[in-house]
Amino acid sequence: IAAVVTAAHAQFPGFSFRLTGAVDGHHGTARFSWELVSDADGSAPVAGSDVVALAGDGRIRSVYGFLDRLPAGA
């Protein structure tokens, strides 16, 4: 997880990820929505949702990511 977060910060300098609501969980599965927010002006050109499946020991087994909003022309 640390490597993925580090890579995302390197790929999008000047942006931060922000949750856009509560995290929902049910039977070893969680979902949440997020935005990629510009540190300079607060705009959020990219938004998405992720679904996380947990293994029996509580560790992350898989993550499925969806892009819900992209800048025009992307």
Side-chain angles (χ1 to χ4, degrees):
I1 293 174
V4 171
V5 170
T6 299
H9 283 275
Q11 186 175 359
F12 303 105
F15 286 84
S16 300
F17 286 94
R18 170 177 67 196
L19 285 174
T20 59
V23 177
D24 295 319
H26 184 66
H27 293 304
T29 304
R31 68 177 178 175
F32 57 93
S33 296
W34 51 266
E35 293 179 319
L36 187 62
V37 181
S38 169
D39 297 334
D41 66 12
S43 64
V46 179
S49 301
D50 288 359
V51 176
V52 177
L54 302 176
D57 63 3
R59 293 187 299 164
I60 294 173
R61 181 179 53 188
S62 58
V63 178
Y64 302 95
F66 301 87
L67 294 173
D68 302 327
R69 179 176 66 236
L70 292 172

